Amino acid sequence: NAGVTQTPKFQVLKTGQSMTLQCAQDMNHEYMSWYRQDPGMGLRLIHYSVGAGITDQGEVPNGYNVSRSTTEDFPLRLLSAAPSQTSVYFCASRPPSGNIQYFGAGTRLSVL
Amino acid sequence: GENVEQHPSTLSVQEGDSAVIKCTYSDSASNYFPWYKQELGKRPQLIIDIRSNVGEKKDQRIAVTLNKTAKHFSLHITETQPEDSAVYFCAARTQGGSEKLVFGKGTKLTVNP
């Protein structure tokens, strides 16, 4: 098993550009989440999904869209990037019957 | 919604000493409390967790205690080693289908040789 795979590892965007951060897991986990991590702020939940076709907002959803068409994939879309979205983004997954969240290696995003 | 406060933000100890990190939560319905360790440039990794029906849990040099009445929980690391140096995060989640895991802001632990 590869676990939770995030791509790309690094990305630089200009203000106003759009992009999609990819997240895939091969553990057949129903639950998947996106977090952003900023210095001194811990991890904050952006969006999450409890299964294919079901998504919901977390603490900081503005400026981000998600969809969940398959159990394996949970992409995060930035429609119009802003410098405030400069951060490290982590995707995580877990089975509904378990507690342990498995994190991806992260995507470091800079918006200039 | 849930709010998790974590203290201290930085902690420096001598090798072999104990380290204690404390967290408080606001939502009395929260019933799952994990602790994560994050080394520089790496992903968070679960080191220990506790459910609300348990008051204490130990795993070798690491222990977590939970006081549901006071709504606080603590991480205890004994006989600290330089490789324990990292940022530690507490978190709280209400179970029953919710995926809203709320994290504290983290504690940077430095263990000096």
Side-chain angles (χ1 to χ4, degrees):
Chain A
N1 286 351
V4 180
T5 303
Q6 289 184 237
T7 56
K9 287 185 168 43
F10 302 94
Q11 183 70 48
V12 179
L13 292 178
K14 293 181 180 178
T15 297
Q17 286 185 314
S18 63
M19 81 158 295
T20 299
L21 279 63
Q22 302 291 345
C23 176
Q25 51 89 13
D26 60 0
M27 299 174 282
N28 203 33
H29 288 170
E30 293 288 331
Y31 289 4
M32 296 185 74
S33 305
W34 275 103
Y35 296 88
R36 61 177 288 174
Q37 184 174 32
D38 302 295
M41 294 296 294
L43 290 96
R44 292 182 291 170
L45 183 65
I46 305 172
H47 285 286
Y48 67 98
S49 169
V50 298
I54 306 169
T55 64
D56 205 347
Q57 296 181 348
E59 300 172 71
V60 288
N62 292 342
Y64 307 95
N65 280 356
V66 292
S67 60
R68 185 94 180 271
S69 56
T70 67
T71 299
E72 294 77 22
D73 300 297
F74 191 40
L76 179 72
R77 279 182 285 277
L78 284 70
L79 298 178
S80 179
S84 60
Q85 294 178 305
T86 294
S87 189
V88 180
Y89 291 85
F90 287 100
C91 179
S93 75
R94 74 172 177 96
S97 58
N99 285 313
I100 299 174
Q101 285 220 85
Y102 296 85
F103 282 86
T107 294
R108 187 173 295 273
L109 176 68
S110 293
V111 183
L112 307 177
Chain B
E2 176 65 278
N3 182 50
V4 177
E5 300 280 344
Q6 183 172 348
H7 299 280
S9 56
T10 61
L11 179 60
S12 182
V13 300
Q14 289 299 120
E15 184 176 358
D17 287 350
S18 295
V20 180
I21 302 170
K22 299 182 179 181
C23 288
T24 60
Y25 60 99
S26 61
D27 188 351
S28 56
S30 290
N31 54 10
Y32 173 66
F33 307 94
W35 285 90
Y36 288 84
K37 175 183 180 182
Q38 187 179 31
E39 297 174 346
L40 191 62
K42 301 286 182 64
R43 73 193 78 187
Q45 294 207 307
L46 181 75
I47 55 171
I48 196 166
D49 58 7
I50 192 167
R51 296 192 190 192
S52 59
N53 58 350
V54 175
E56 183 176 359
K57 184 176 178 181
K58 273 183 137 178
D59 183 4
Q60 299 183 340
R61 297 185 297 109
I62 294 174
V64 57
T65 58
L66 171 65
N67 183 327
K68 283 175 56 180
T69 303
K71 288 191 277 189
H72 67 70
F73 56 113
S74 300
L75 178 71
H76 304 254
I77 306 174
T78 58
E79 300 172 26
T80 54
Q81 301 166 3
E83 51 265 39
D84 294 329
S85 296
V87 179
Y88 292 81
F89 294 96
C90 63
R93 187 179 76 213
T94 304
Q95 289 188 305
S98 171
E99 188 53 22
K100 292 191 178 183
L101 191 62
V102 178
F103 284 80
K105 293 185 178 180
T107 296
K108 183 177 181 182
L109 173 65
T110 302
V111 180
N112 302 300

